[in-house]
Amino acid sequence: MTPPPDWFDADEAQQLLRHLEWQPEGFSLLFVFADALPAQWLADWLNAALRPAGLTLQQPTCAQPLADAPDAVVDALMAELGALAQAPGAVWLPLHHHPQHADWDAARQRLLARLNERRFLLERDLPRPLLLVLPANFRPITREIAPDIWHIRVLSQQWRTPALSAAQHWCWEKLPAGFPISRDRQPWMGRAEDADALLHEWKRSQKNEGNVALIETAWQACAALIAAGRLSEAETILAPTLKAVLHNLKIPPKLDQDRSFALVHAFFQFISLATESERWGEVAGVYGLLLGFYKGSVESVGDESSIYLSAMGLYNLGVVNHQLGKPDSAAKKYLLGLALAKEIYSSDVLWVKCCVQSNILYGQAKIATSSGDYPSALSTYQAALAHYEQAITITPSAAPALQRDLALIQVGLADAHMGLQDWPAAEQALAKSVAIFRQLAAAPRAPRHAREDLAIALARQALLPPGDLAPLQEAERILLQLCAEFVEVPAYPRELSAVRELRRLVDAESQPG
């Protein structure tokens, strides 16, 4: 087992262990008030120590739906007492997840009150130690709500992670907004003169077709201009293009393949531009129209490519809802997208199915991270990573195309580990992401987001204890280069100021005294 971190209190852990070893039979009640990471460490440490004696911790299945039905959790626990009494080992009841969430806290309070009413049944029907694991701030609440079971406790302990440093705390408030990692940017492998040629072709097609923009020509020109940072020119193309797209939506959903392909890409180019400008309301509206188009295509044709597009449309709509500050709505879109992705069966698109599922799990993990549910975020990022690894196993030739997504998931894993204060694991994940981003940024004719991604990952590296300025200095150099190359892009001054503020905080913390 990995050596415990410095904050792990071995004396407190030994006190718990002695009780569980010496009194494995007969009812006793122990309270553990803990943050997520210490609770996990303590459970793993106790299991490792108790395993030789066959007394590993039992975890009832009833702990899962706590927020939705606390009364049902209590009833399920009481019904499970007989089975728990038959097996050796203490009962570990984890009720500490989602700390300081109003609905979860209300459910915990309700559950404690119900358990307090059943003190006699617990003592009579459970001849095993019972460890109630609650959030670290729940000690005074527990004493007030459940005085009877509090009175019969054998011991209570509090397990906290160390406080965040000033720079790390600032990061949690500012850096996610200042450093959005976007999956929506489309790589452009062309040259500046290619963008000029495509812009000229679009203008020519407009003139020849009587001021009706040809959608396919328009989206190609927009892809080049947006990637080159020439946003104002791209917007002049997209205004008439979007009008043409909306007109084409009135035709029956069963489109020929080429026309459907051009229509979808015109949508995505408008979305890409609006995303750059953070016009989330417009993006949400366009995704809603696009999703309706996909739905009609699935119903009329029923082909699996449309199912794939619908699932990805739901994923993208979830991303937008999250950006609009509607995590519940985003979560619903992700669940619908996952359900739809499961309908893909053909062997030749199974690797695509894995990628779609990974994308949606990635979105779910970002919601969990932003809400502070780091254990859930960690497991969801790991599931997303497993889906991508499965995709590469099915289609090894897809590995180069999936490199960036794999690196983004590693950044997400690092964020979850940092939230749990598991610095070695965060360092390992960030090292993997930085290595991939360096490789992508060094490739010939690399898209600009390769260097953006590298700067983001480097900034996160600086947050690892004890705080190293070298990654921040490199991130600052990269962002300054991008500012010089793409003067129209509005995000870099904000991101550059975020790096400089973070650098100032890290520098201040490293000074003696």
Side-chain angles (χ1 to χ4, degrees), residues 453-489:
D453 294 338
L454 178 57
I456 289 163
L458 288 167
R460 277 170 166 79
Q461 272 192 326
L463 294 170
L464 299 173
D468 184 3
L469 284 177
L472 277 177
Q473 291 167 343
E474 184 177 358
E476 187 176 15
R477 286 197 301 272
I478 292 171
L479 290 172
L480 282 170
Q481 282 180 340
L482 290 168
C483 279
E485 293 173 21
F486 304 105
V487 292
E488 281 193 78
V489 179

PDB file of all heavy atoms in Angstrom, residues 453-489:
ATOM      1  N   ASP A 453      -3.503  24.604 -24.900  1.00  0.00           N
ATOM      2  CA  ASP A 453      -3.628  23.477 -23.985  1.00  0.00           C
ATOM      3  C   ASP A 453      -2.370  23.306 -23.147  1.00  0.00           C
ATOM      4  O   ASP A 453      -2.440  23.038 -21.935  1.00  0.00           O
ATOM      5  CB  ASP A 453      -3.884  22.195 -24.773  1.00  0.00           C
ATOM      6  CG  ASP A 453      -5.226  22.192 -25.491  1.00  0.00           C
ATOM      7  OD1 ASP A 453      -6.114  22.961 -25.065  1.00  0.00           O
ATOM      8  OD2 ASP A 453      -5.384  21.433 -26.456  1.00  0.00           O
ATOM      9  N   LEU A 454      -1.213  23.457 -23.788  1.00  0.00           N
ATOM     10  CA  LEU A 454       0.045  23.308 -23.064  1.00  0.00           C
ATOM     11  C   LEU A 454       0.174  24.372 -21.979  1.00  0.00           C
ATOM     12  O   LEU A 454       0.570  24.072 -20.839  1.00  0.00           O
ATOM     13  CB  LEU A 454       1.220  23.392 -24.053  1.00  0.00           C
ATOM     14  CG  LEU A 454       2.624  23.298 -23.445  1.00  0.00           C
ATOM     15  CD1 LEU A 454       2.802  22.016 -22.645  1.00  0.00           C
ATOM     16  CD2 LEU A 454       3.685  23.398 -24.545  1.00  0.00           C
ATOM     17  N   ALA A 455      -0.192  25.616 -22.297  1.00  0.00           N
ATOM     18  CA  ALA A 455      -0.125  26.684 -21.290  1.00  0.00           C
ATOM     19  C   ALA A 455      -1.046  26.395 -20.110  1.00  0.00           C
ATOM     20  O   ALA A 455      -0.692  26.625 -18.950  1.00  0.00           O
ATOM     21  CB  ALA A 455      -0.483  28.029 -21.934  1.00  0.00           C
ATOM     22  N   ILE A 456      -2.228  25.879 -20.395  1.00  0.00           N
ATOM     23  CA  ILE A 456      -3.192  25.565 -19.334  1.00  0.00           C
ATOM     24  C   ILE A 456      -2.631  24.499 -18.409  1.00  0.00           C
ATOM     25  O   ILE A 456      -2.683  24.622 -17.174  1.00  0.00           O
ATOM     26  CB  ILE A 456      -4.527  25.109 -19.960  1.00  0.00           C
ATOM     27  CG1 ILE A 456      -5.229  26.298 -20.624  1.00  0.00           C
ATOM     28  CG2 ILE A 456      -5.440  24.470 -18.921  1.00  0.00           C
ATOM     29  CD1 ILE A 456      -6.314  25.894 -21.593  1.00  0.00           C
ATOM     30  N   ALA A 457      -2.099  23.429 -18.993  1.00  0.00           N
ATOM     31  CA  ALA A 457      -1.560  22.341 -18.176  1.00  0.00           C
ATOM     32  C   ALA A 457      -0.350  22.805 -17.357  1.00  0.00           C
ATOM     33  O   ALA A 457      -0.179  22.407 -16.197  1.00  0.00           O
ATOM     34  CB  ALA A 457      -1.174  21.162 -19.069  1.00  0.00           C
ATOM     35  N   LEU A 458       0.475  23.655 -17.944  1.00  0.00           N
ATOM     36  CA  LEU A 458       1.638  24.173 -17.208  1.00  0.00           C
ATOM     37  C   LEU A 458       1.200  25.030 -16.019  1.00  0.00           C
ATOM     38  O   LEU A 458       1.793  24.961 -14.936  1.00  0.00           O
ATOM     39  CB  LEU A 458       2.527  24.986 -18.152  1.00  0.00           C
ATOM     40  CG  LEU A 458       3.316  24.186 -19.188  1.00  0.00           C
ATOM     41  CD1 LEU A 458       3.893  25.106 -20.255  1.00  0.00           C
ATOM     42  CD2 LEU A 458       4.447  23.399 -18.513  1.00  0.00           C
ATOM     43  N   ALA A 459       0.160  25.842 -16.212  1.00  0.00           N
ATOM     44  CA  ALA A 459      -0.341  26.666 -15.109  1.00  0.00           C
ATOM     45  C   ALA A 459      -0.838  25.792 -13.958  1.00  0.00           C
ATOM     46  O   ALA A 459      -0.622  26.104 -12.789  1.00  0.00           O
ATOM     47  CB  ALA A 459      -1.450  27.592 -15.600  1.00  0.00           C
ATOM     48  N   ARG A 460      -1.500  24.704 -14.299  1.00  0.00           N
ATOM     49  CA  ARG A 460      -1.951  23.798 -13.244  1.00  0.00           C
ATOM     50  C   ARG A 460      -0.768  23.155 -12.526  1.00  0.00           C
ATOM     51  O   ARG A 460      -0.816  22.902 -11.318  1.00  0.00           O
ATOM     52  CB  ARG A 460      -2.860  22.721 -13.828  1.00  0.00           C
ATOM     53  CG  ARG A 460      -4.308  23.184 -13.988  1.00  0.00           C
ATOM     54  CD  ARG A 460      -5.079  22.161 -14.804  1.00  0.00           C
ATOM     55  NE  ARG A 460      -6.517  22.340 -14.727  1.00  0.00           N
ATOM     56  CZ  ARG A 460      -7.200  23.230 -15.396  1.00  0.00           C
ATOM     57  NH1 ARG A 460      -6.548  24.098 -16.176  1.00  0.00           N
ATOM     58  NH2 ARG A 460      -8.518  23.301 -15.291  1.00  0.00           N
ATOM     59  N   GLN A 461       0.291  22.840 -13.258  1.00  0.00           N
ATOM     60  CA  GLN A 461       1.472  22.240 -12.627  1.00  0.00           C
ATOM     61  C   GLN A 461       2.042  23.138 -11.535  1.00  0.00           C
ATOM     62  O   GLN A 461       2.545  22.653 -10.518  1.00  0.00           O
ATOM     63  CB  GLN A 461       2.556  21.963 -13.678  1.00  0.00           C
ATOM     64  CG  GLN A 461       2.436  20.618 -14.336  1.00  0.00           C
ATOM     65  CD  GLN A 461       3.684  20.270 -15.133  1.00  0.00           C
ATOM     66  OE1 GLN A 461       4.343  21.136 -15.719  1.00  0.00           O
ATOM     67  NE2 GLN A 461       4.020  18.995 -15.178  1.00  0.00           N
ATOM     68  N   ALA A 462       1.954  24.437 -11.730  1.00  0.00           N
ATOM     69  CA  ALA A 462       2.507  25.374 -10.749  1.00  0.00           C
ATOM     70  C   ALA A 462       1.745  25.339  -9.431  1.00  0.00           C
ATOM     71  O   ALA A 462       2.251  25.817  -8.411  1.00  0.00           O
ATOM     72  CB  ALA A 462       2.494  26.790 -11.315  1.00  0.00           C
ATOM     73  N   LEU A 463       0.542  24.769  -9.426  1.00  0.00           N
ATOM     74  CA  LEU A 463      -0.252  24.709  -8.195  1.00  0.00           C
ATOM     75  C   LEU A 463       0.125  23.535  -7.305  1.00  0.00           C
ATOM     76  O   LEU A 463      -0.350  23.425  -6.183  1.00  0.00           O
ATOM     77  CB  LEU A 463      -1.740  24.600  -8.543  1.00  0.00           C
ATOM     78  CG  LEU A 463      -2.322  25.831  -9.233  1.00  0.00           C
ATOM     79  CD1 LEU A 463      -3.702  25.533  -9.759  1.00  0.00           C
ATOM     80  CD2 LEU A 463      -2.362  27.003  -8.275  1.00  0.00           C
ATOM     81  N   LEU A 464       0.958  22.648  -7.806  1.00  0.00           N
ATOM     82  CA  LEU A 464       1.357  21.506  -6.998  1.00  0.00           C
ATOM     83  C   LEU A 464       2.368  21.945  -5.947  1.00  0.00           C
ATOM     84  O   LEU A 464       3.281  22.718  -6.244  1.00  0.00           O
ATOM     85  CB  LEU A 464       1.966  20.419  -7.889  1.00  0.00           C
ATOM     86  CG  LEU A 464       1.040  19.852  -8.965  1.00  0.00           C
ATOM     87  CD1 LEU A 464       1.804  18.920  -9.876  1.00  0.00           C
ATOM     88  CD2 LEU A 464      -0.136  19.117  -8.328  1.00  0.00           C
ATOM     89  N   PRO A 465       2.224  21.468  -4.709  1.00  0.00           N
ATOM     90  CA  PRO A 465       3.197  21.851  -3.674  1.00  0.00           C
ATOM     91  C   PRO A 465       4.597  21.420  -4.099  1.00  0.00           C
ATOM     92  O   PRO A 465       4.748  20.360  -4.705  1.00  0.00           O
ATOM     93  CB  PRO A 465       2.728  21.066  -2.454  1.00  0.00           C
ATOM     94  CG  PRO A 465       1.285  20.779  -2.705  1.00  0.00           C
ATOM     95  CD  PRO A 465       1.167  20.605  -4.183  1.00  0.00           C
ATOM     96  N   PRO A 466       5.630  22.240  -3.807  1.00  0.00           N
ATOM     97  CA  PRO A 466       5.576  23.483  -3.039  1.00  0.00           C
ATOM     98  C   PRO A 466       5.284  24.726  -3.883  1.00  0.00           C
ATOM     99  O   PRO A 466       5.317  25.845  -3.384  1.00  0.00           O
ATOM    100  CB  PRO A 466       6.986  23.576  -2.469  1.00  0.00           C
ATOM    101  CG  PRO A 466       7.843  22.936  -3.514  1.00  0.00           C
ATOM    102  CD  PRO A 466       7.015  21.829  -4.101  1.00  0.00           C
ATOM    103  N   GLY A 467       4.999  24.561  -5.170  1.00  0.00           N
ATOM    104  CA  GLY A 467       4.731  25.718  -6.036  1.00  0.00           C
ATOM    105  C   GLY A 467       5.982  26.102  -6.804  1.00  0.00           C
ATOM    106  O   GLY A 467       6.916  26.651  -6.246  1.00  0.00           O
ATOM    107  N   ASP A 468       6.008  25.790  -8.096  1.00  0.00           N
ATOM    108  CA  ASP A 468       7.195  26.004  -8.920  1.00  0.00           C
ATOM    109  C   ASP A 468       6.869  27.066  -9.970  1.00  0.00           C
ATOM    110  O   ASP A 468       5.887  26.953 -10.698  1.00  0.00           O
ATOM    111  CB  ASP A 468       7.584  24.682  -9.587  1.00  0.00           C
ATOM    112  CG  ASP A 468       8.861  24.791 -10.394  1.00  0.00           C
ATOM    113  OD1 ASP A 468       9.482  25.872 -10.389  1.00  0.00           O
ATOM    114  OD2 ASP A 468       9.240  23.794 -11.029  1.00  0.00           O
ATOM    115  N   LEU A 469       7.706  28.092 -10.054  1.00  0.00           N
ATOM    116  CA  LEU A 469       7.459  29.185 -10.994  1.00  0.00           C
ATOM    117  C   LEU A 469       7.831  28.837 -12.433  1.00  0.00           C
ATOM    118  O   LEU A 469       7.358  29.479 -13.359  1.00  0.00           O
ATOM    119  CB  LEU A 469       8.235  30.425 -10.562  1.00  0.00           C
ATOM    120  CG  LEU A 469       7.651  31.203  -9.382  1.00  0.00           C
ATOM    121  CD1 LEU A 469       8.555  32.354  -9.005  1.00  0.00           C
ATOM    122  CD2 LEU A 469       6.264  31.729  -9.724  1.00  0.00           C
ATOM    123  N   ALA A 470       8.670  27.823 -12.644  1.00  0.00           N
ATOM    124  CA  ALA A 470       9.135  27.525 -14.000  1.00  0.00           C
ATOM    125  C   ALA A 470       7.979  27.211 -14.957  1.00  0.00           C
ATOM    126  O   ALA A 470       7.936  27.762 -16.072  1.00  0.00           O
ATOM    127  CB  ALA A 470      10.142  26.376 -13.965  1.00  0.00           C
ATOM    128  N   PRO A 471       7.011  26.369 -14.589  1.00  0.00           N
ATOM    129  CA  PRO A 471       5.902  26.127 -15.518  1.00  0.00           C
ATOM    130  C   PRO A 471       5.088  27.386 -15.816  1.00  0.00           C
ATOM    131  O   PRO A 471       4.632  27.585 -16.949  1.00  0.00           O
ATOM    132  CB  PRO A 471       5.038  25.086 -14.787  1.00  0.00           C
ATOM    133  CG  PRO A 471       5.950  24.435 -13.810  1.00  0.00           C
ATOM    134  CD  PRO A 471       6.906  25.493 -13.397  1.00  0.00           C
ATOM    135  N   LEU A 472       4.913  28.255 -14.800  1.00  0.00           N
ATOM    136  CA  LEU A 472       4.177  29.496 -15.031  1.00  0.00           C
ATOM    137  C   LEU A 472       4.915  30.417 -15.988  1.00  0.00           C
ATOM    138  O   LEU A 472       4.306  31.083 -16.817  1.00  0.00           O
ATOM    139  CB  LEU A 472       3.936  30.217 -13.700  1.00  0.00           C
ATOM    140  CG  LEU A 472       2.734  29.737 -12.879  1.00  0.00           C
ATOM    141  CD1 LEU A 472       2.676  30.495 -11.566  1.00  0.00           C
ATOM    142  CD2 LEU A 472       1.447  29.937 -13.657  1.00  0.00           C
ATOM    143  N   GLN A 473       6.220  30.477 -15.844  1.00  0.00           N
ATOM    144  CA  GLN A 473       7.007  31.323 -16.743  1.00  0.00           C
ATOM    145  C   GLN A 473       6.891  30.834 -18.186  1.00  0.00           C
ATOM    146  O   GLN A 473       6.762  31.627 -19.119  1.00  0.00           O
ATOM    147  CB  GLN A 473       8.462  31.342 -16.281  1.00  0.00           C
ATOM    148  CG  GLN A 473       8.656  32.086 -14.969  1.00  0.00           C
ATOM    149  CD  GLN A 473      10.016  31.834 -14.346  1.00  0.00           C
ATOM    150  OE1 GLN A 473      10.707  30.889 -14.701  1.00  0.00           O
ATOM    151  NE2 GLN A 473      10.385  32.669 -13.380  1.00  0.00           N
ATOM    152  N   GLU A 474       6.906  29.509 -18.363  1.00  0.00           N
ATOM    153  CA  GLU A 474       6.757  28.963 -19.709  1.00  0.00           C
ATOM    154  C   GLU A 474       5.355  29.237 -20.247  1.00  0.00           C
ATOM    155  O   GLU A 474       5.187  29.584 -21.428  1.00  0.00           O
ATOM    156  CB  GLU A 474       7.034  27.459 -19.706  1.00  0.00           C
ATOM    157  CG  GLU A 474       6.997  26.862 -21.099  1.00  0.00           C
ATOM    158  CD  GLU A 474       7.339  25.378 -21.126  1.00  0.00           C
ATOM    159  OE1 GLU A 474       7.648  24.802 -20.065  1.00  0.00           O
ATOM    160  OE2 GLU A 474       7.279  24.792 -22.229  1.00  0.00           O
ATOM    161  N   ALA A 475       4.330  29.081 -19.389  1.00  0.00           N
ATOM    162  CA  ALA A 475       2.952  29.362 -19.802  1.00  0.00           C
ATOM    163  C   ALA A 475       2.815  30.814 -20.237  1.00  0.00           C
ATOM    164  O   ALA A 475       2.143  31.131 -21.234  1.00  0.00           O
ATOM    165  CB  ALA A 475       1.994  29.048 -18.656  1.00  0.00           C
ATOM    166  N   GLU A 476       3.453  31.726 -19.504  1.00  0.00           N
ATOM    167  CA  GLU A 476       3.393  33.147 -19.841  1.00  0.00           C
ATOM    168  C   GLU A 476       4.029  33.407 -21.206  1.00  0.00           C
ATOM    169  O   GLU A 476       3.490  34.165 -22.026  1.00  0.00           O
ATOM    170  CB  GLU A 476       4.094  33.960 -18.755  1.00  0.00           C
ATOM    171  CG  GLU A 476       3.956  35.455 -18.920  1.00  0.00           C
ATOM    172  CD  GLU A 476       4.588  36.221 -17.775  1.00  0.00           C
ATOM    173  OE1 GLU A 476       5.374  35.626 -17.004  1.00  0.00           O
ATOM    174  OE2 GLU A 476       4.301  37.414 -17.640  1.00  0.00           O
ATOM    175  N   ARG A 477       5.157  32.764 -21.484  1.00  0.00           N
ATOM    176  CA  ARG A 477       5.829  32.944 -22.780  1.00  0.00           C
ATOM    177  C   ARG A 477       4.927  32.465 -23.929  1.00  0.00           C
ATOM    178  O   ARG A 477       4.820  33.115 -24.968  1.00  0.00           O
ATOM    179  CB  ARG A 477       7.157  32.179 -22.807  1.00  0.00           C
ATOM    180  CG  ARG A 477       8.263  32.808 -21.987  1.00  0.00           C
ATOM    181  CD  ARG A 477       9.625  32.251 -22.380  1.00  0.00           C
ATOM    182  NE  ARG A 477       9.699  30.794 -22.189  1.00  0.00           N
ATOM    183  CZ  ARG A 477      10.067  30.211 -21.053  1.00  0.00           C
ATOM    184  NH1 ARG A 477      10.363  30.950 -19.999  1.00  0.00           N
ATOM    185  NH2 ARG A 477      10.130  28.897 -20.964  1.00  0.00           N
ATOM    186  N   ILE A 478       4.285  31.317 -23.724  1.00  0.00           N
ATOM    187  CA  ILE A 478       3.412  30.769 -24.774  1.00  0.00           C
ATOM    188  C   ILE A 478       2.245  31.714 -25.053  1.00  0.00           C
ATOM    189  O   ILE A 478       1.924  32.005 -26.214  1.00  0.00           O
ATOM    190  CB  ILE A 478       2.893  29.378 -24.347  1.00  0.00           C
ATOM    191  CG1 ILE A 478       4.046  28.368 -24.324  1.00  0.00           C
ATOM    192  CG2 ILE A 478       1.785  28.905 -25.293  1.00  0.00           C
ATOM    193  CD1 ILE A 478       3.663  27.039 -23.697  1.00  0.00           C
ATOM    194  N   LEU A 479       1.611  32.205 -23.996  1.00  0.00           N
ATOM    195  CA  LEU A 479       0.457  33.089 -24.177  1.00  0.00           C
ATOM    196  C   LEU A 479       0.855  34.410 -24.820  1.00  0.00           C
ATOM    197  O   LEU A 479       0.106  34.971 -25.631  1.00  0.00           O
ATOM    198  CB  LEU A 479      -0.233  33.329 -22.830  1.00  0.00           C
ATOM    199  CG  LEU A 479      -0.965  32.110 -22.251  1.00  0.00           C
ATOM    200  CD1 LEU A 479      -1.437  32.396 -20.840  1.00  0.00           C
ATOM    201  CD2 LEU A 479      -2.139  31.715 -23.132  1.00  0.00           C
ATOM    202  N   LEU A 480       2.035  34.923 -24.488  1.00  0.00           N
ATOM    203  CA  LEU A 480       2.508  36.148 -25.122  1.00  0.00           C
ATOM    204  C   LEU A 480       2.742  35.925 -26.615  1.00  0.00           C
ATOM    205  O   LEU A 480       2.444  36.798 -27.447  1.00  0.00           O
ATOM    206  CB  LEU A 480       3.793  36.628 -24.440  1.00  0.00           C
ATOM    207  CG  LEU A 480       3.595  37.340 -23.098  1.00  0.00           C
ATOM    208  CD1 LEU A 480       4.942  37.544 -22.401  1.00  0.00           C
ATOM    209  CD2 LEU A 480       2.892  38.682 -23.297  1.00  0.00           C
ATOM    210  N   GLN A 481       3.283  34.775 -26.975  1.00  0.00           N
ATOM    211  CA  GLN A 481       3.464  34.451 -28.395  1.00  0.00           C
ATOM    212  C   GLN A 481       2.121  34.428 -29.117  1.00  0.00           C
ATOM    213  O   GLN A 481       1.976  34.963 -30.217  1.00  0.00           O
ATOM    214  CB  GLN A 481       4.130  33.071 -28.537  1.00  0.00           C
ATOM    215  CG  GLN A 481       5.619  33.063 -28.292  1.00  0.00           C
ATOM    216  CD  GLN A 481       6.192  31.655 -28.466  1.00  0.00           C
ATOM    217  OE1 GLN A 481       5.454  30.676 -28.408  1.00  0.00           O
ATOM    218  NE2 GLN A 481       7.486  31.555 -28.649  1.00  0.00           N
ATOM    219  N   LEU A 482       1.140  33.787 -28.499  1.00  0.00           N
ATOM    220  CA  LEU A 482      -0.178  33.696 -29.110  1.00  0.00           C
ATOM    221  C   LEU A 482      -0.831  35.070 -29.248  1.00  0.00           C
ATOM    222  O   LEU A 482      -1.516  35.350 -30.241  1.00  0.00           O
ATOM    223  CB  LEU A 482      -1.074  32.756 -28.298  1.00  0.00           C
ATOM    224  CG  LEU A 482      -0.694  31.272 -28.372  1.00  0.00           C
ATOM    225  CD1 LEU A 482      -1.435  30.473 -27.308  1.00  0.00           C
ATOM    226  CD2 LEU A 482      -1.000  30.708 -29.755  1.00  0.00           C
ATOM    227  N   CYS A 483      -0.633  35.927 -28.249  1.00  0.00           N
ATOM    228  CA  CYS A 483      -1.157  37.296 -28.334  1.00  0.00           C
ATOM    229  C   CYS A 483      -0.591  38.014 -29.552  1.00  0.00           C
ATOM    230  O   CYS A 483      -1.296  38.742 -30.252  1.00  0.00           O
ATOM    231  CB  CYS A 483      -0.801  38.076 -27.067  1.00  0.00           C
ATOM    232  SG  CYS A 483      -1.887  37.744 -25.678  1.00  0.00           S
ATOM    233  N   ALA A 484       0.713  37.810 -29.790  1.00  0.00           N
ATOM    234  CA  ALA A 484       1.367  38.491 -30.909  1.00  0.00           C
ATOM    235  C   ALA A 484       0.881  37.945 -32.254  1.00  0.00           C
ATOM    236  O   ALA A 484       0.754  38.690 -33.228  1.00  0.00           O
ATOM    237  CB  ALA A 484       2.876  38.335 -30.795  1.00  0.00           C
ATOM    238  N   GLU A 485       0.583  36.651 -32.299  1.00  0.00           N
ATOM    239  CA  GLU A 485       0.221  36.027 -33.569  1.00  0.00           C
ATOM    240  C   GLU A 485      -1.251  36.223 -33.925  1.00  0.00           C
ATOM    241  O   GLU A 485      -1.611  36.307 -35.092  1.00  0.00           O
ATOM    242  CB  GLU A 485       0.533  34.529 -33.509  1.00  0.00           C
ATOM    243  CG  GLU A 485       2.016  34.218 -33.419  1.00  0.00           C
ATOM    244  CD  GLU A 485       2.269  32.739 -33.185  1.00  0.00           C
ATOM    245  OE1 GLU A 485       1.366  31.928 -33.487  1.00  0.00           O
ATOM    246  OE2 GLU A 485       3.353  32.388 -32.701  1.00  0.00           O
ATOM    247  N   PHE A 486      -2.125  36.244 -32.893  1.00  0.00           N
ATOM    248  CA  PHE A 486      -3.564  36.288 -33.131  1.00  0.00           C
ATOM    249  C   PHE A 486      -4.147  37.470 -32.374  1.00  0.00           C
ATOM    250  O   PHE A 486      -4.753  37.319 -31.321  1.00  0.00           O
ATOM    251  CB  PHE A 486      -4.223  34.979 -32.687  1.00  0.00           C
ATOM    252  CG  PHE A 486      -3.635  33.770 -33.341  1.00  0.00           C
ATOM    253  CD1 PHE A 486      -2.791  32.930 -32.652  1.00  0.00           C
ATOM    254  CD2 PHE A 486      -3.924  33.483 -34.662  1.00  0.00           C
ATOM    255  CE1 PHE A 486      -2.240  31.811 -33.251  1.00  0.00           C
ATOM    256  CE2 PHE A 486      -3.379  32.367 -35.276  1.00  0.00           C
ATOM    257  CZ  PHE A 486      -2.533  31.527 -34.577  1.00  0.00           C
ATOM    258  N   VAL A 487      -3.956  38.651 -32.917  1.00  0.00           N
ATOM    259  CA  VAL A 487      -4.296  39.867 -32.178  1.00  0.00           C
ATOM    260  C   VAL A 487      -5.798  40.028 -31.974  1.00  0.00           C
ATOM    261  O   VAL A 487      -6.226  40.767 -31.091  1.00  0.00           O
ATOM    262  CB  VAL A 487      -3.734  41.112 -32.898  1.00  0.00           C
ATOM    263  CG1 VAL A 487      -2.230  41.108 -32.842  1.00  0.00           C
ATOM    264  CG2 VAL A 487      -4.212  41.162 -34.353  1.00  0.00           C
ATOM    265  N   GLU A 488      -6.627  39.345 -32.792  1.00  0.00           N
ATOM    266  CA  GLU A 488      -8.069  39.511 -32.654  1.00  0.00           C
ATOM    267  C   GLU A 488      -8.664  38.644 -31.544  1.00  0.00           C
ATOM    268  O   GLU A 488      -9.788  38.857 -31.137  1.00  0.00           O
ATOM    269  CB  GLU A 488      -8.770  39.156 -33.969  1.00  0.00           C
ATOM    270  CG  GLU A 488      -8.720  40.243 -35.017  1.00  0.00           C
ATOM    271  CD  GLU A 488      -9.686  39.941 -36.139  1.00  0.00           C
ATOM    272  OE1 GLU A 488     -10.892  40.171 -35.944  1.00  0.00           O
ATOM    273  OE2 GLU A 488      -9.242  39.457 -37.181  1.00  0.00           O
ATOM    274  N   VAL A 489      -7.948  37.625 -31.097  1.00  0.00           N
ATOM    275  CA  VAL A 489      -8.511  36.687 -30.120  1.00  0.00           C
ATOM    276  C   VAL A 489      -8.618  37.363 -28.764  1.00  0.00           C
ATOM    277  O   VAL A 489      -7.625  37.784 -28.197  1.00  0.00           O
ATOM    278  CB  VAL A 489      -7.643  35.418 -30.012  1.00  0.00           C
ATOM    279  CG1 VAL A 489      -8.228  34.471 -28.964  1.00  0.00           C
ATOM    280  CG2 VAL A 489      -7.571  34.727 -31.368  1.00  0.00           C
TER     281      VAL A 489
END
